[in-house]
Amino acid sequence: MGDNRVSGQFLVTAVSLFTKAILAFQVASKVDDCLKELERYEALREEQEKLMEGQVVIIERQGVLKTGQDILQIGQTKIQDGQVKIQDDLAKIREAIGEKGPGHSLLILPSTVMPGSPRIFGRQSYIDKAVQLLLSSTSTRIVILGPGGMGKTSVALKIAYDSRVIERFRINRRWIPCEQAASVPLFIELIAKSLGLPPSTSNDRFGEIIAALEESDALHFVLFDNFETLWDLEGELSTVANILSRLASIPSVSFILTMRGIQHPASDQIDWTSPRLPPLTPLEMDPAQEAFVKISPDSEGDPNLQELLRELDCVPLAITLMAKLAEVGESITELLSQWSREQVKLLSQPSGDRTNSIDVSIRLSLTSSSVRSNADAIPLLGVLARLPGGASLAQVPTICPSIPGWKAALRVLRTAALVYDSPDKTVVHMLSPIRSYVLLHHQVKGQPLRDLRNAYYKLAGKGYAYHDDSNFVDIMTELSREEINLETIVLDALHSADNKVDAISAALGYSNFLASTQPRINVIETALQTARDTGSNLLPYCLDAYGDTLRLQSQYDAASIALEEARDTYTQRDNKLKAAACLWMIGDMLRVRNKFDEACSRLEEARGLYLESNDISGATDCLWILGEVYEGQGRFGMATSTLEQARTHFVESGHELRPANCLLSLGRVYRAQGLYEAALSAAEEARSEFIRLRHPRETANALWVLSDIHRELGQYSKAYSTADEAKSFYSQLGDKLGIALSLRSMANTLYKQGRYEEAHRHAEEAKEESIKLGDSLGVAVSRRLLGDICRMQGKLDAACFALEEAKSLFTQCKGGWYSSVELADCNKSLGKIYRLEGQYDNAIKLLEEAREIYSTFSSKKSDAAECTEEIELALGARDSCEYGADNPCGG
């Protein structure tokens, strides 16, 4: 338009000049020619006036267009403001998920099996450099950086599958999908799973990972994929940096991070391997074309393909998504047109830059003809984006009742490469960049969001399943498969749902499920805080579940505080049954801590409340634990009658699990009395029932009791194998206390067999587990056993040290017959050592104390007799000793 204005001005000037020329040369012979020229230019001037009129119209229309552009800009500003709000909401959710207490994964977690070797183009030189770095040291630390969609994951996987890397690390190549970790505890649990560590209730799960890696003789390679997911967790930067730094300090561990951006993380804490790999850049044109044509063969030779690839900046993910659109029928010309329109919108945004090209690529997939033609595709995509663990195809109809055409929509989403199936075709997943984009731009809301939450609320409610339910194990397995989705949905609802009551109720069900499998604290802790903040009537139920979780994690002090508060609130509301349940748990914790008198008081109080409410089952539960308390006190007759009474009540009430529990408790009472055949029969019958009822935890408990009975009967091979089997069960369940008990049983058996080195190793491991659990009695028993092993190895100084430490701990553990017997064992062993060292008076004193304790238990008659023999030997040696100034004896 500017050129037209210049031409018009030129014509006006020319006409004026010619007019002056005619006036000056009227008499000239060329006047007629000048007039003709004037006529021609006048005609041109008329055309110019028409052109100017057209320009006025154009300017007017431009004004209208400018107004439209202003309106569009206002709309874009509002959209950007909305995006900022969504980002803030997501940040709050991430903060809530990341900053809560220790949490551990359940029995089933997302797969950490490394995906297959990808097809890749134009990166071989980069891959070779990375492989050489991995081969150059036993501990290599590499970051593969670059913008989103550069193919960082593909390059990293190709490195992991390089034959040289496979030869160096063999089976010890691990893949950690960081985008699956909604919090630091889940990230730690994914690492543990990749290493093959059993589930755990430990408060130091990362310490277990470090110990496993440091104790391993092999070289390890770990690929942390999409690490920016963790690095961007608000409030967790320091924690994540420390985790990474600690892993980097292990000489046998090499790792690769794939991460968006151009900056190495934690450079102030980690010496990244030099030379550092540069960030990945777009592909060269030839490999870009090769990659596109490999997906869409019909596009080969298209004259517009190179132009399209240039418009995409040859970004690998954009190429892949665009090629898939071409594969299903979109022409290159049409794709170019779509890109041009989207690029204009991108450049009009103040914050637009080349890092948004991946967003544009995803938007192109979302606006493809196949997606546009299916009204259910985008709503379904919004629902699936809420499920980081993927959506079970069997669950989709339940979570999307308001999307009746979900099957057709899912086919469209698969075709557009917006979702993909698991290898077994049972779960549909979404790539992390696409999921993030959908959560930002297409969040599910309204009825579809309510449907999704309600489906998972209902699933969480299954966590209330009782142990005697015939489908209990199936329910627990189903919930385990959905653990990550459940946690994500429930935590999000606790923070953002309008109806907090339903969200808290779901959290309670989910927590109950965790209590039945592997307790974790973060969800119920969030629910408890939400209940406090909102003044919910569900507060005591949250305190109850919170205390129960802490109890199962052996955090008895904190558990007692929560349960006492819950009980007080229940009492104020006259809810006797729930108050009684809290008292039952408090009493059981006191029993475990050998506070038998207090335990009896609380359990009797709980039983009274159950009876007042006519809850015979609850009252009988109290009888069962009271029987175990009496066994701990050494009141074996009372224990036997109480447990038999409880068992009879359970049988009459139609229970299946509890009668077997009582039978196993009776087996322990018989064992304590030295009635090993009766103990063996009871424990065997209980184990059979647990197996029939498919209760792995109870089966493990029975195996542990059986291992001790077999050892007392001299059946050492069977004792060891049974304890080892119990340990396997406990490991699968993540029961650290059970693992420690099994290890001690195995160590005891090896000690009896004279296999002292192996026994020492098992006893040390049991001691360490007990220390982690804060189990002082377990630590004392392990130290006593270590002292006996050292004594038999002739390491008398070490033996005395361990035995004296154990003796001090047993003295503190007052109130139980077991502690008394263990104290006697310490005195007996120390007495033997002192006799050998010529300290006869000390030896006799300790042996007499031990004999006095043994004599009160019928099962310890042989130990009492052994003490008598040792005393006689010490007396004889002392009497034969010649006393003199130079040779004092009897010290």
Side-chain angles (χ1 to χ4, degrees), residues 153-334:
T153 295
S154 295
V155 169
L157 287 171
K158 204 69 177 178
I159 293 167
Y161 278 100
D162 189 281
S163 59
R164 294 163 291 180
V165 174
I166 294 175
E167 181 178 356
R168 183 174 183 80
F169 297 98
R170 302 188 179 276
I171 64 171
N172 295 306
R173 294 172 301 127
R174 322 286 182 184
W175 176 68
I176 308 297
C178 298
E179 76 273 17
Q180 296 270 12
S183 63
V184 171
L186 276 177
F187 170 58
I188 291 172
E189 197 58 40
L190 285 175
I191 300 175
K193 181 179 179 182
S194 75
L195 292 173
L197 298 183
S200 170
T201 57
S202 169
N203 286 329
D204 188 19
R205 183 63 158 160
F206 185 62
E208 296 175 357
I209 292 170
I210 295 301
L213 289 170
E214 289 182 336
E215 291 170 8
S216 173
D217 294 327
L219 295 177
H220 293 267
F221 167 81
V222 186
L223 167 53
F224 294 106
D225 198 18
N226 292 306
F227 189 76
E228 72 276 359
T229 306
L230 287 160
W231 197 246
D232 292 338
L233 286 177
E234 289 194 15
E236 295 289 6
L237 185 64
S238 177
T239 301
V240 175
N242 288 337
I243 289 172
L244 199 61
S245 176
R246 184 67 181 89
L247 290 171
S249 70
I250 302 175
S252 60
V253 174
S254 295
F255 57 77
I256 288 180
L257 270 62
T258 68
M259 188 171 178
R260 291 174 185 246
I262 60 173
Q263 187 176 18
H264 283 62
S267 292
D268 59 333
Q269 294 178 248
I270 300 172
D271 291 326
W272 297 103
T273 301
S274 295
R276 294 183 178 184
L277 296 176
L280 284 176
T281 56
L283 297 173
E284 297 294 334
M285 182 55 68
D286 287 346
Q289 282 186 282
E290 185 182 1
F292 194 103
V293 171
K294 201 70 175 180
I295 296 171
S296 176
D298 292 344
S299 300
E300 187 171 9
D302 191 298
N304 294 316
L305 178 57
Q306 285 197 9
E307 182 182 355
L308 176 61
L309 293 172
R310 277 192 293 269
E311 289 294 327
L312 297 175
D313 281 342
C314 292
V315 173
L317 179 57
I319 291 170
T320 298
L321 293 172
M322 193 72 83
K324 287 186 177 293
L325 292 172
E327 184 186 22
V328 296
E330 302 276 1
S331 70
I332 299 298
T333 301
E334 184 177 355

Side-chain angles (χ1 to χ4, degrees), residues 44 61 125 178 387 434 532 539 544 556 562 624 657 850 858:
L44 286 173
R61 291 179 178 176
S125 174
C178 298
L387 305 173
I434 298 175
R532 290 193 190 278
L539 176 60
D544 186 342
Y556 298 127
W624 165 42
L657 179 64
S858 58

Side-chain angles (χ1 to χ4, degrees), residues 586-845:
I586 293 169
D588 190 44
M589 284 190 292
L590 290 167
R591 174 190 65 83
V592 172
R593 302 170 87 177
N594 290 331
K595 298 180 179 181
F596 298 118
D597 291 340
E598 295 177 66
C600 276
S601 175
R602 294 306 182 96
L603 290 166
E604 287 289 3
E605 186 180 355
R607 185 165 180 265
L609 290 173
Y610 279 127
L611 290 174
E612 284 180 34
S613 305
N614 201 30
D615 187 333
I616 304 303
S617 178
T620 308
D621 264 341
C622 293
L623 273 181
W624 165 42
I625 301 301
L626 278 167
E628 294 207 334
V629 171
Y630 299 147
E631 185 267 337
Q633 290 176 314
R635 299 160 66 184
F636 301 127
M638 180 70 79
T640 300
S641 61
T642 302
L643 289 168
E644 287 176 345
Q645 182 185 354
R647 184 167 182 251
T648 300
H649 281 311
F650 282 132
V651 171
E652 291 174 351
S653 301
H655 286 273
E656 290 188 292
L657 179 64
R658 285 293 189 249
N661 287 137
C662 292
L663 191 59
L664 183 61
S665 297
L666 282 166
R668 293 176 59 189
V669 176
Y670 299 150
R671 181 193 62 180
Q673 294 175 287
L675 305 172
Y676 298 122
E677 293 298 337
L680 184 63
S681 176
E684 285 283 9
E685 185 179 346
R687 181 182 65 166
S688 297
E689 279 296 290
F690 295 143
I691 292 172
R692 182 182 70 81
L693 295 170
R694 295 200 300 168
H695 280 278
R697 189 181 300 278
E698 307 300 338
T699 302
N701 291 339
L703 287 166
W704 168 66
V705 173
L706 282 167
S707 68
D708 280 356
I709 296 170
H710 286 308
R711 184 175 64 253
E712 295 296 340
L713 291 170
Q715 300 168 358
Y716 298 130
S717 177
K718 199 163 188 178
Y720 186 88
S721 63
T722 306
D724 195 25
E725 188 179 357
K727 179 173 173 286
S728 296
F729 271 99
Y730 286 131
S731 297
Q732 293 172 21
L733 294 163
D735 189 333
K736 305 301 286 184
L737 178 60
I739 292 171
L741 291 171
S742 300
L743 285 167
R744 254 194 318 272
S745 183
M746 295 163 73
N748 258 316
T749 300
L750 292 167
Y751 168 72
K752 292 285 187 181
Q753 292 177 300
R755 297 161 64 181
Y756 300 126
E757 289 296 333
E758 296 171 79
H760 193 281
R761 186 170 64 251
H762 282 71
E764 273 288 353
E765 193 175 347
K767 183 192 73 175
E768 292 304 317
E769 291 292 345
S770 297
I771 290 172
K772 292 175 187 176
L773 289 168
D775 177 14
S776 57
L777 181 60
V779 174
V781 176
S782 299
R783 289 193 188 280
R784 192 273 305 161
L785 181 56
L786 286 165
D788 277 341
I789 294 168
C790 289
R791 177 174 60 83
M792 296 305 294
Q793 291 178 308
K795 303 173 182 178
L796 300 186
D797 288 342
C800 281
F801 180 78
L803 291 166
E804 288 289 0
E805 277 195 329
K807 185 177 175 182
S808 175
L809 288 171
F810 286 128
T811 302
Q812 298 170 30
C813 299
K814 297 177 181 179
W817 73 270
Y818 187 75
S819 295
S820 297
V821 170
E822 285 286 345
L823 182 59
D825 288 340
C826 289
N827 283 337
K828 181 179 71 173
S829 295
L830 284 167
K832 289 181 177 181
I833 293 172
Y834 291 154
R835 181 182 66 79
L836 292 173
E837 292 180 338
Q839 300 184 46
Y840 301 120
D841 288 341
N842 287 340
I844 293 167
K845 179 177 180 293

